[in-house]
């Protein structure tokens, strides 16, 4: 099955609009979607070229400057300095790479685990479905952040362990999502035709079922990016992720929490970076959901 096409009637002629053109058209008509794409693009560029963009890259990576501790925002330090005299703007810029890289890794791992299990459960049914879904329900019975904290506590606090912990906590959501889509897809004619000519079940699942689950997975993954950024920030705030002196937005918020009433800039600007990034991914996810929702097709 090829890309889903959007059919429109124009001047008495039936025309098809490729899915990629449809996405661009819908985003281009929505100011909030444009805002989300621009913000995400800016953060991606900052993540890629942060060391060259930061005004004080050595401070961004953790070098202290005790002669300028808790300097307020000024032309020299646009967002001020922290308790070790490090430039807050440089710390935010250098920390952008980890702030975007970690959620991508977590979501990719969660999809890689959850999507195949959901497709197998939905297609095979019977005891296989029961086994996979009961294990899924077992994981979903725990609040994901609490489960992630328990895993990090067992493995030891570090960025890699935090990503592993969140991926283990996150995969059941994709299992449930893909299973629901698979229950519908397995009744389609192309699946029945594949069965009729003797195509093995495993081939049907990975060649025909999973590729047709990409749309809902993309929507969910985009929205989850923002949630994972918040979760990673929460773990860093609790000292269970990135370790000092490496820059991390959640860790920066934690470092400034005790002086928030006097040196407000230390926590405020990293918190704003988290807020804007999460908002952008949520807005983009809502737009993609509108595009991929079949009820939106004309």
């Amino acid at each position: 099955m090829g890309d889903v096409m959007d059919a429109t009637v124009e001047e008495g002629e039936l025309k098809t609009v490729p899915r990629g053109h449809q996405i661009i058209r819908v985003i281009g008509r929505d100011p909030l979607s444009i805002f989300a794409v621009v913000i995400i693009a800016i953060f991606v560029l900052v993540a890629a070229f942060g060391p060259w963009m930061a005004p004080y890259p050595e401070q961004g990576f953790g070098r202290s400057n005790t002669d300028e501790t808790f300097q307020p925002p000024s032309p020299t330090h646009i967002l001020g300095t922290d308790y070790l005299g490090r430039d807050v703007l440089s710390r935010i810029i250098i920390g952008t790479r980890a702030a975007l890289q970690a959620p991508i890794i977590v979501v990719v791992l969660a999809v890689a685990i959850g999507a195949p299990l959901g497709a197998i459960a939905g297609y095979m049914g019977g005891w296989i479905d029961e086994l996979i879904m009961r294990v899924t329900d077992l994981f979903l019975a725990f609040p994901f952040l609490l489960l992630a904290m328990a895993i990090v506590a067992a493995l030891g606090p570090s960025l890699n362990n935090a990503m592993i912990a969140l991926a283990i906590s996150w995969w059941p959501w994709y299992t449930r999502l893909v299973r629901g889509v698979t229950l519908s897809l397995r009744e389609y004619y192309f699946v029945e035709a594949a069965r009729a000519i003797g195509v093995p079940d495993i081939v049907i699942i990975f060649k025909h079922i999973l590729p047709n689950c990409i749309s809902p997975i993309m929507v969910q993954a985009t929205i989850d990016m923002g949630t994972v950024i918040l979760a990673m920030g929460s773990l860093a705030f609790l000292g269970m992720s990135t370790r000092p002196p490496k820059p991390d937005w959640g860790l920066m918020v934690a470092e400034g929490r005790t002086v928030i009433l006097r040196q407000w800039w230390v926590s405020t600007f990293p918190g704003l970076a988290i807020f804007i990034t999460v908002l952008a991914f949520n807005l983009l996810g809502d737009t993609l959901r509108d595009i991929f929702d079949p009820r939106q097709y004309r």
Side-chain angles (χ1 to χ4, degrees), residues 85-215:
R86 298 172 298 191
D87 184 65
V88 172
L89 176 59
S90 298
R91 299 277 289 169
I92 292 175
I93 291 175
I94 300 299
T96 302
R97 181 173 298 179
L100 294 182
Q101 188 179 53
I104 292 173
I105 293 175
V106 169
V107 171
V108 169
L109 288 176
V111 171
I113 298 171
L117 289 176
I120 292 171
Y123 181 81
M124 300 301 294
W127 68 269
I128 296 178
D129 182 25
E130 283 293 320
L131 176 62
I132 293 176
M133 294 315 298
R134 296 300 74 79
V135 174
T136 300
D137 291 339
L138 180 64
F139 276 85
L140 291 176
F142 294 92
F144 74 88
L145 191 56
L146 183 61
L147 179 59
M149 290 170 58
I151 295 173
V152 173
L155 298 177
S158 71
L159 179 60
N160 289 337
N161 289 343
M163 290 189 293
I164 293 172
L166 282 176
I168 293 174
S169 306
W170 224 274
W171 67 264
W173 300 102
Y174 291 96
T175 300
R176 177 174 286 184
L177 171 67
V178 173
R179 175 182 179 271
V181 178
T182 302
L183 289 175
S184 173
L185 288 174
R186 72 179 184 179
E187 306 300 330
Y188 280 28
Y189 290 133
F190 72 91
V191 175
E192 294 183 359
R195 279 201 216 102
I197 63 175
V199 177
D201 290 338
I202 194 68
V203 175
I204 294 176
I205 291 171
F206 284 92
K207 188 175 181 179
H208 299 288
I209 298 293
L210 280 175
N212 284 280
C213 297
I214 290 178
S215 294

